[in-house]
Amino acid sequence: MSEPKTPTPTPAGDTYKGWVFKWTNYIKGYQRRWFVLSNGLLSYYRTQAEMGHTCRGTINLATATITVDDACNFVISNGGAQTYHLKASCEVERQRWITALELAKAKAARMQAESDDSGDDFSPSSTPAAPGQGVASQNSEVQSSLRTLGSKVEDLSTCNDLISKHGSALQRSLSELDSLRLTGEAGDKIRQVTERATLFRITSNAMINACRDFLALAQAHSKRWQKALQAEREQRVRLEETLEQLAKQHNHLERAFRGAAQANATADNKSAAGPGKGEASDEDDDNEFFDAMEEAPEFITVPADPQFHKRSSSNISGFNSEMCADDQSLNEEPLAMNQESPSQELVPLKKRRTRIADKPNYSLNLWSIMKNCIGKELSKIPMPVNFNEPISMLQRLSEDLEYHELLDKASKCQSSLEQMCYVAAFSVSSYSTTVHRTGKPFNPLLGETYELDRRRESGYRSLCEQVSHHPPAAAHHAISDRGWTLRQEITVASKFRGKYLSIMPLGTIHAIFEKGNNHYTWKKVTTTVHNIIVGKLWIDQSGEIDVVNHTTGDRCHLKFAPYSYFSRDVARKVTGVVMDKDGKAHYVLSGTWDEKMEFSRVMQSSRGGENGTEGKQKTVYQTLKAREVWRRNPLPEGAESMYYFTALALTLNEPEDGVAPTDSRRRPDQRLMEDGRWDEANSEKQRLEEKQRSARREREREAASQRTSSQSEEAVEEDSLTDPSLKSAPHDNYQALWFERCEDPITGEQLHIYKGGYWETKERGTWEGCPDIF
């Protein structure tokens, strides 16, 4: 076997190529093959030309063993079926291959170990809390640099071991040479020393090349690699969070599988009318989903032709977006307000603020607080201000008036059915502020009030008062110079169930219009806050609202669809139908509670379409083109750092002169939180709550004393049989200051109605009757 004429190239980076003789069988013996060492894999080919298409075999060096037989032979085996018996052309050539193979094996083993325990490579302190944070990003870059440096240091260490090994052999040879006398063996020993020196030089050159590669890598690629590694680590953190959340949802998804199969079977039978935009929410990476099956719509709408009502029901498209806005062929009667010129805007008396202090980034262990709250009434749990937003429930209730212009337009409508469209849109608009508002409002203290005077700007003024503490109840009264009155008493019931928080507003909302004396009532739907413990908080609204006109009997049934992973419909969808007292449909409403609502005039209705889930036929409404009745106002710039407050919400807690001493603007813990002094706010919150408890105990003692002195306990029990009001009387003798408790003549409920006097007292500036609650 002659030495190949083509010289074997020296190692370059992580790739080494050359001719080596490989044992094939006893007939052919050793045959020359082209070997390629790259990325920890040793592959061989019959010729160099085969590299592009045919590989004869590959062995992974990470798990392989390398042994030397004699001066030119060496064996590579992975302990299994793959074993290569190889022979180099000379001992120097063999040692070059041994050096390259040992370097590649060390690197491959190290990379495999890093891959196996990559999750433990970094301490928690080096993991960035969020992309873009300065300290965490710097730590990540340092760690990336250290890993790159460590890789090259390992290469140097391997070379160092080889140098030490061959250096020792060289020393032994030199010692033997010194001990020899001038005999015939001198020439052999001298040749052996020369070969050892050559091996030592080759190994030294390999180490020098590794150092040179290290310097070039550090100079040319370190910054780029650091950025790439940082991006990979951030992506890994996001994936870990997603996997953690998916693991918690796994059991729920298993239970929903059968329901999903049934829902998909139903969806496959639908016509081509399914809306194309309802594939997912904007927040799919962080969402948690309901298990419920997708509910079939209660009705179907198809475009109608006013002259020819014979259009096929197969052209189902909801509110057909293909109908141009300027298409006037549809002789739809416009709503009354669209024919009137907009009312003149009044110049505001003062410039309202447009910013508040940015929300501080305080960390808090949520689970340590919430784990003891499961199944309890949330209003009875002392919560730190870290979970709050710097606004009270009274101010949050006043935010319902953000889209008061809907009531302004409704007050000018000629038809009660048209008016119902605006009132229904107003009932939906109050939820648009809840999309990103995951903070909890401050629970008002008993007797706390809040006034919102926008009479000069918008023609209305509003007053709220906390009229009960357990259960917490707030009474609200707003009156407008433009012909409408809004009043409500809301009691919030909430339950924490571990994964989510349900908030159930109890109470009825009343809207009364001077024109036509139309009196509307409706109730609020359930709000659910998801991902309380794990993941990003998100809010959903679900339930049904019946808006009833008690004067004419008109009714609008609105349905808030809960978010479902399996739904093909648009997220946060709301649908409704406006009917008269005889049940005849006049308008169809559709939209989302976080974006906009549209209405369509019904030209004809019929029973038909696809069958419902229970075999019932759905109602098909032939409607004119949809028109927008309400759209959400955009958030102010920088809202994400200001609790996602709207432009109106930013002004609610702005200090004002002349308000009552009990006004929420004067609440000290809320003011401290808005200013970013959360530790002081928590201390002040505890003081106020203890002051409220002391006042309640004092009232209960006075009430007990009065009952004892006036009549016996038996007499109270006997009277309560004929006077139900005694049974529902509170434990103490507290009475609201600006509202009085009475029975509502429309609903028959016991509620608080504004009795007057607040605005007159404000004009006089005499607040002596207000309690000291702050």
Side-chain angles (χ1 to χ4, degrees), residues 350-364:
K350 61 176 292 186
K351 184 178 180 180
R352 307 288 179 179
R353 68 181 183 183
T354 58
R355 285 200 61 84
I356 61 174
D358 289 349
K359 179 181 179 181
N361 186 18
Y362 287 125
S363 61
L364 187 67

Side-chain angles (χ1 to χ4, degrees), residues 334-581:
L335 294 183
M337 266 305 300
N338 296 336
Q339 297 176 337
E340 299 184 11
S341 59
S343 58
Q344 183 179 1
E345 294 292 334
L346 297 176
V347 179
L349 290 178
K350 61 176 292 186
K351 184 178 180 180
R352 307 288 179 179
R353 68 181 183 183
T354 58
R355 285 200 61 84
I356 61 174
D358 289 349
K359 179 181 179 181
N361 186 18
Y362 287 125
S363 61
L364 187 67
N365 188 350
L366 175 64
W367 177 243
S368 64
I369 297 175
M370 300 299 287
K371 64 183 179 181
N372 298 320
C373 306
I374 298 177
K376 297 181 181 179
E377 176 68 32
L378 197 66
S379 62
K380 298 182 180 180
I381 301 169
M383 302 291 286
V385 300
N386 303 58
F387 300 120
N388 287 22
E389 55 183 9
I391 208 170
S392 74
M393 180 57 75
L394 302 180
Q395 292 164 315
R396 191 70 180 266
L397 201 59
S398 302
E399 280 192 72
D400 287 357
L401 297 170
E402 177 163 1
Y403 299 97
H404 63 89
E405 63 271 8
L406 290 171
L407 298 180
D408 294 343
K409 294 177 181 179
S411 66
K412 299 179 181 179
C413 287
Q414 302 296 328
S415 167
S416 62
L417 293 168
E418 296 171 353
Q419 190 177 69
M420 175 69 81
C421 293
Y422 285 107
V423 175
F426 177 79
S427 69
V428 176
S429 68
S430 61
Y431 299 101
S432 63
T433 62
T434 65
V435 180
H436 305 292
R437 297 275 290 279
T438 56
K440 173 183 174 293
F442 278 79
N443 289 332
L445 302 174
L446 187 61
E448 185 174 336
T449 61
Y450 180 73
E451 69 165 67
L452 182 63
D453 192 351
R454 295 290 190 271
R455 191 170 186 179
R456 294 296 301 273
E457 295 98 325
S458 304
Y460 72 87
R461 55 187 182 183
S462 157
L463 175 66
C464 291
E465 181 179 3
Q466 187 76 359
V467 295
S468 174
H469 185 59
H470 284 305
H476 180 208
H477 182 271
I479 187 169
S480 172
D481 296 338
R482 298 171 186 176
W484 54 266
T485 301
L486 185 76
R487 57 180 173 87
Q488 57 184 320
E489 180 178 343
I490 299 297
T491 300
V492 177
S494 54
K495 291 292 183 180
F496 174 58
R497 296 303 185 188
K499 291 181 62 177
Y500 62 90
L501 172 69
S502 294
I503 302 171
M504 295 79 68
L506 309 176
T508 304
I509 306 172
H510 299 253
I512 304 100
F513 295 91
E514 296 178 3
K515 188 176 182 179
N517 197 29
N518 291 320
H519 190 144
Y520 297 86
T521 64
W522 68 90
K523 296 179 180 291
K524 289 181 176 287
V525 296
T526 298
T527 299
T528 306
V529 184
H530 294 270
N531 292 348
I532 294 293
I533 300 301
V534 179
K536 181 180 179 180
L537 292 175
W538 64 281
I539 293 177
D540 195 22
Q541 314 288 345
S542 59
E544 298 180 358
I545 293 179
D546 278 312
V547 185
V548 181
N549 186 340
H550 295 274
T551 304
T552 63
D554 301 337
R555 182 182 298 268
C556 178
H557 181 75
L558 294 170
K559 183 175 182 180
F560 289 66
Y563 188 82
S564 172
Y565 177 80
F566 305 105
S567 176
R568 296 185 180 183
D569 216 337
V570 63
R572 309 182 184 97
K573 185 176 182 180
V574 181
T575 56
V577 180
V578 176
M579 299 181 178
D580 59 22
K581 62 180 179 179

Side-chain angles (χ1 to χ4, degrees), residues 30 42 59 64-70 72-78 82-87 94 98 101:
Y30 284 96
L42 179 65
I59 192 169
T65 58
I66 304 171
T67 57
V68 179
D69 282 352
D70 54 26
C72 295
N73 292 12
F74 58 102
V75 180
I76 303 174
S77 175
N78 63 359
Q82 287 180 304
T83 301
Y84 296 166
H85 294 268
L86 307 176
K87 177 187 286 189
R94 184 213 64 182
I98 292 296
L101 290 170

Side-chain angles (χ1 to χ4, degrees), residues 253-274:
L253 292 176
E254 283 184 345
R255 290 198 302 268
F257 180 76
R258 292 189 179 89
Q262 183 178 356
N264 288 336
T266 303
D268 291 339
N269 295 328
K270 290 184 179 180
S271 63

Side-chain angles (χ1 to χ4, degrees), residues 89-100:
S89 58
C90 63
E91 187 175 357
V92 174
E93 181 64 28
R94 184 213 64 182
Q95 192 57 42
R96 287 175 178 170
W97 273 104
I98 292 296
T99 301

Side-chain angles (χ1 to χ4, degrees), residues 497-690:
R497 296 303 185 188
K499 291 181 62 177
Y500 62 90
L501 172 69
S502 294
I503 302 171
M504 295 79 68
L506 309 176
T508 304
I509 306 172
H510 299 253
I512 304 100
F513 295 91
E514 296 178 3
K515 188 176 182 179
N517 197 29
N518 291 320
H519 190 144
Y520 297 86
T521 64
W522 68 90
K523 296 179 180 291
K524 289 181 176 287
V525 296
T526 298
T527 299
T528 306
V529 184
H530 294 270
N531 292 348
I532 294 293
I533 300 301
V534 179
K536 181 180 179 180
L537 292 175
W538 64 281
I539 293 177
D540 195 22
Q541 314 288 345
S542 59
E544 298 180 358
I545 293 179
D546 278 312
V547 185
V548 181
N549 186 340
H550 295 274
T551 304
T552 63
D554 301 337
R555 182 182 298 268
C556 178
H557 181 75
L558 294 170
K559 183 175 182 180
F560 289 66
Y563 188 82
S564 172
Y565 177 80
F566 305 105
S567 176
R568 296 185 180 183
D569 216 337
V570 63
R572 309 182 184 97
K573 185 176 182 180
V574 181
T575 56
V577 180
V578 176
M579 299 181 178
D580 59 22
K581 62 180 179 179
D582 299 323
K584 180 181 177 181
H586 291 264
Y587 291 96
V588 171
L589 291 94
S590 181
T592 58
W593 52 262
D594 68 323
E595 188 64 33
K596 65 176 181 178
M597 289 294 294
E598 296 175 335
F599 68 92
S600 301
R601 187 185 180 101
V602 175
M603 303 304 296
Q604 185 175 347
S605 62
S606 60
R607 304 291 290 181
E610 60 175 302
N611 291 335
T613 56
E614 299 179 358
K616 299 179 181 179
Q617 286 187 323
K618 300 175 184 176
T619 303
V620 179
Y621 296 116
Q622 296 184 1
T623 62
L624 299 182
K625 64 179 181 181
R627 301 176 63 183
E628 188 174 280
V629 65
W630 163 76
R631 177 176 289 274
R632 177 175 64 98
N633 296 329
L635 291 175
E637 183 179 355
E640 62 277 1
S641 61
M642 298 184 295
Y643 309 89
Y644 287 98
F645 278 179
T646 63
L648 174 64
L650 288 173
T651 68
L652 294 181
N653 203 44
E654 185 176 10
E656 289 189 17
D657 297 330
V659 299
T662 54
D663 196 274
S664 298
R665 299 175 180 87
R666 300 182 182 273
R667 181 166 176 166
D669 55 348
Q670 185 173 303
R671 181 65 60 191
L672 288 169
M673 183 196 175
E674 183 183 285
D675 295 339
R677 300 155 63 184
W678 284 16
D679 292 337
E680 299 175 56
N682 278 316
S683 302
E684 191 66 15
K685 184 173 182 289
Q686 293 180 5
R687 181 189 69 83
L688 293 176
E689 290 172 349
E690 181 56 36

Side-chain angles (χ1 to χ4, degrees), residues 225-243:
W225 285 358
Q226 288 171 15
K227 292 180 180 179
L229 288 171
Q230 173 70 9
E232 292 294 331
R233 291 195 59 221
E234 291 173 354
Q235 184 177 10
R236 189 191 73 186
V237 170
R238 291 193 295 269
L239 289 175
E240 287 176 351
E241 293 175 351
T242 303
L243 288 174

